[in-house]
Amino acid sequence: TTVEIPGENGKTITVTIGENGSGEVPNDKLPKGAVPGKGKVTEPNKKPSQPVDVTTPARKTPTIDLVQDPTTGDVTVTPKRPDGSTYPKGTTVELPGKNGPITVTIGDNGSAKVPNNQLPDTKVSGKAKIKEPNKPAVEVPKVDTPAKVTPATPTTETPVEIGITRKENGDAVVTPKKPGGG
């Protein structure tokens, strides 16, 4: 038995039904977006069924986790497959940047770092690409590259009070008192 379901750009996806009564379409053969349309079932030595309303689901896309260190501003980039597993060392990731893509290469731990000074001044949203060695690049439809962090100016600690006492010889003794009696 074969089943035809709508695919991308008017193409039909044909699924062969196995012994267990169902068939599988690999994720990379599914359309980029869900495609509503008509499907039909053809059993061996029989006429195809009447068209049935069906929606072919969109393929699952990889994701890219971006975690920014609030202190340094550096961003850890971790691309993940649709099943949540990480990509191998040597995979390159292109993130949306202000003047073109920001490219990083994944290391042994499945992630890479973008230094704070290579980040855009404001958040940039757009498409990202993940390119595994010797494989075609895959697109991640929407990624937000965070803006660079401006290091915070250290705050000056203010004492609660300043005590001034005079010695008998006339010298003044100045004692700042911090909150909490420090």
Side-chain angles (χ1 to χ4, degrees), residues 3 22 26 56 69 72 89 115 122-123 133 145 152 155 160 165 179:
V3 176
S22 62
T56 303
D69 181 319
T72 63
K89 178 180 178 173
T122 55
K123 179 175 92 170
T145 303
T155 50
V160 174
T165 51

Side-chain angles (χ1 to χ4, degrees), residues 42-104:
T42 307
E43 290 183 57
N45 310 317
K46 291 189 181 173
K47 283 186 182 163
S49 71
Q50 290 297 316
V52 184
D53 285 334
V54 66
T55 299
T56 303
R59 78 177 65 149
K60 284 190 169 177
T61 57
T63 55
I64 299 175
D65 289 352
L66 299 175
V67 180
Q68 188 165 33
D69 181 319
T71 320
T72 63
D74 296 350
V75 173
T76 302
V77 179
T78 312
K80 293 190 175 166
R81 299 180 193 278
D83 67 4
S85 63
T86 55
Y87 282 84
K89 178 180 178 173
T91 298
T92 56
V93 177
E94 278 185 15
L95 299 172
K98 194 171 168 192
N99 306 316
I102 299 168
T103 306
V104 292

Side-chain angles (χ1 to χ4, degrees), residues 11-178:
K11 291 190 174 86
T12 303
I13 299 172
T14 304
V15 187
T16 303
I17 305 305
E19 299 289 320
N20 63 356
S22 62
E24 266 186 38
V25 179
N27 184 52
D28 62 359
K29 300 286 185 250
L30 289 170
K32 285 190 174 115
V35 179
K38 301 281 183 195
K40 63 181 181 196
V41 179
T42 307
E43 290 183 57
N45 310 317
K46 291 189 181 173
K47 283 186 182 163
S49 71
Q50 290 297 316
V52 184
D53 285 334
V54 66
T55 299
T56 303
R59 78 177 65 149
K60 284 190 169 177
T61 57
T63 55
I64 299 175
D65 289 352
L66 299 175
V67 180
Q68 188 165 33
D69 181 319
T71 320
T72 63
D74 296 350
V75 173
T76 302
V77 179
T78 312
K80 293 190 175 166
R81 299 180 193 278
D83 67 4
S85 63
T86 55
Y87 282 84
K89 178 180 178 173
T91 298
T92 56
V93 177
E94 278 185 15
L95 299 172
K98 194 171 168 192
N99 306 316
I102 299 168
T103 306
V104 292
T105 303
I106 301 307
D108 290 328
N109 59 356
S111 62
K113 265 203 185 357
V114 177
N116 186 50
N117 64 5
Q118 289 180 19
L119 293 169
D121 297 332
T122 55
K123 179 175 92 170
V124 177
S125 299
K127 291 181 165 123
K129 282 194 182 123
I130 302 172
K131 170 97 178 67
E132 240 181 293
N134 309 316
K135 291 197 178 169
V138 286
E139 198 173 83
V140 180
K142 187 178 183 308
V143 171
D144 294 331
T145 303
K148 67 173 64 157
V149 168
T150 311
T153 12
T155 50
T156 316
E157 202 172 315
T158 48
V160 174
E161 60 183 76
I162 297 173
I164 300 177
T165 51
R166 303 267 321 233
K167 286 183 164 178
E168 283 177 31
N169 67 2
D171 294 351
V173 179
V174 179
T175 314
K177 290 190 168 64
K178 285 188 183 169

